[in-house]
Amino acid sequence: MGIGIIVLIVVLAVLFLVIGFIWMTYNGLVRLRNQVKNAWAQIDVQLKRRHDLIPNLMETVKGYMKHERETLEAVTSARNLAQKAIGTGVGAQAKAEGELSSALSRLLAVVENYPDLKANQNFMALQEELTSTENKISFSRQYYNDSVLTYNNKTQMVPSNIIAGMFGFKTGEFFEVTAAAEREAPKVSFG
Amino acid sequence: MDCPACKGVVVVVEYQRIELDYCTKCYGVWFDAGELSLLAERLDLRGAALDVNQIAALPEKKAAEKARGCPICRKKMKKVTLGSAPEVLVDVCTRGDGLWFDGGEVGQVLGQLKDKGAAADEQGRVIDFLGEVFHVRG
Amino acid sequence: MWEQIRSNQTRTLVLVVAMGLLLLLVGYFLGEAIFGSGIGGLVVAILIWVVMNLFAYFQGDSMILAISRARKISPDDHPRLYNVVEEMKIASGLPKIPDIYIIDDPSPNAFAVGRDPSRASVAITSGLLERLNRDELQGVMAHEISHIKNRDVLLMTFCSVLLGTIVILAWFGSRMMLFGGARGGRRSSGGGGGYATLIIVAVAILLMILAPIAAQLIYYAISRKREYLADASGALYTRYPEGLASALEKIAGSTQELKTANQAFAPMYIINPFRSKGRAASDLTSTHPPISERVRILRSMAGGASLAAYEKAYQEVRGSGRGVIPPSALVGETPVAARKAEAVPAEPGKVERARETSDLLWKYSNYGLVNCECGTKLRVPPKLRGSSIRCPHCGRVNPLSSRP
């Protein structure tokens, strides 16, 4: 009894605190890294949804837009290119999707000249879906970037950066809109 | 909703995208506050004369007609007159839920509509709309 | 970032603890005054509180939805509403899209319920749904989803249970003392401890009167703070403060009161469902900050959409150095720009939105549809007897065969 026991208790307590800190920080980092992964998956889901919508849109629009062959073909080919770009890396995919976005907004700008089409129930429903998908893409990108920011802060700030370094947590990459086409696309229709 | 005058079954009549509630038994018509404001906007009538709350603030009209409860909030409605030549006696919900035109009142509107050209004031144009919707009635 | 809004809320915590202490005080003194045992009173108070909490936790959301006569809608019933909610689910990172309910009421309002983010619901009145355009609807839903994400629903449920327990205890106490004859009175007639008893009874009576009022004021203070926070996160999610601002303005224009509102759930709504005319702006007895002020803050965000931009606008508009966003939420935040207003050409207009909403309500009430050849539509309630109906516009007799 005496000093030995007290020292032992103090050492155990410190050890307990250190292990507790490592444990909690590690779990926090894992949670954030998973959040980033999920956010990335969400972007993919929305991009795919947009690809799926386009054939329907083309089918509906075709009958009304006899004089817009080029605009229509641009959308279809942009969609096919975007389809092919899946899995070719963030930059390439973002570029292809950007082209698709601008082809689509050109199409929807032209729709203004076709009042019959605008009044078509089927088209109105499709346009709502398309507008919303466009929103969902940008919101999922926004959430992804927010998640990456939180995760990166955690991996770089003291003291959690020590744990991140120890277990090899790498910082995440932001989803920047690299395609010039998308940045400059006249956003006519997508609210 | 039940007819505030005779408790008959009320059907909804949608004419030019405006909904009116119409009693199949006594032919009375309920004009909901929201629908009235939609119609006012459509006709481009921005005046306060068509706001249900403003109509409810009009002086009470003494009439022999029985008092009626609002079909929405059940409170007793107030009797006021709308328009000028012809004046139409209506019941208005004091809470602002809407207007009730008795079957007889709608008939009166129909009778007088033919004598007159375009109605001068805003309330007259709403009455004209009613006349147009209930062209034939039950 | 905003994950931290729910933690480190010292001021909210202090207020909640104050309410809890108030409950204990009421329990103790009422127990002492009525059956001569402060501990007994405490036990009763805590027992009532626990039971009510359990009920609120497990049944609270379905009860509120049932009382409001809310109907759950499917994605096909109102695709735009469903889409907007899903967009905000994505922007906020909720694990699951909340159930969506619609309330048949011309008064414009909306609320969120649900004890945790994976089991939540949002409800909107038909009156609000038909009034808002897409951006405004998005703003309102962002505000509601912020309440879910910030765990305000759980916090406010917890607080309203505390408040409810205090009110119930005070009510019981006053009835027991008036009609049952206070135990303290009898004991004092037996002699001994007369003064002490008198003081206890006096304190108990005072608490009975004041505690419910004090609890209510605390409750309102917590609620107002959470409203600002939900506005701030709503602006962040949508990146478009103007949407919520203009929605709030439209809501403020209406004077209709909600038919099914209940005082206890008032903080769950986007605006206070009980609006008496001429109520002072910063009134202590309001669950919500004045709408005009909320709109002004949102419009003063100067092209930003971050929590920091809201904080700055809040301080500007209120003219004080005190903020509303917990400092921990502002750490590491990068400035974000608000989205520019864009014209959406194919958006349904006012009348179309009204028809969309009322069609939905007729469908839920099992009304049959008769399309007359003259273009007039007749919607027939299930209770209408007979096999045909005459169109009041053109006089054609239409069969009633197409009824469900």
Side-chain angles (χ1 to χ4, degrees), chain C residues 6 85 92 94-99 111-123 141-155 226 230 237:
Chain C
R6 58 183 131 105
V85 174
S92 64
L94 273 191
K96 184 179 156 285
I97 179 161
D99 289 339
F111 65 84
V113 290
R115 60 172 183 255
D116 63 62
S118 57
R119 188 181 181 278
S121 315
V122 289
M141 284 304 148
H143 173 97
E144 294 311 328
I145 283 187
S146 304
H147 274 317
I148 298 171
K149 183 83 182 176
N150 296 349
R151 307 268 183 158
D152 291 347
V153 181
L154 195 64
L155 175 73
R226 306 311 291 194
Y237 294 152

Side-chain angles (χ1 to χ4, degrees), chain C residues 269-292:
Chain C
Y269 292 95
I270 187 159
I271 56 149
N272 191 352
F274 301 95
R275 279 174 289 166
S276 41
K277 280 169 195 145
R279 177 169 262 178
S282 57
D283 204 326
L284 281 175
T285 61
S286 176
T287 48
H288 290 62
I291 297 184
S292 58

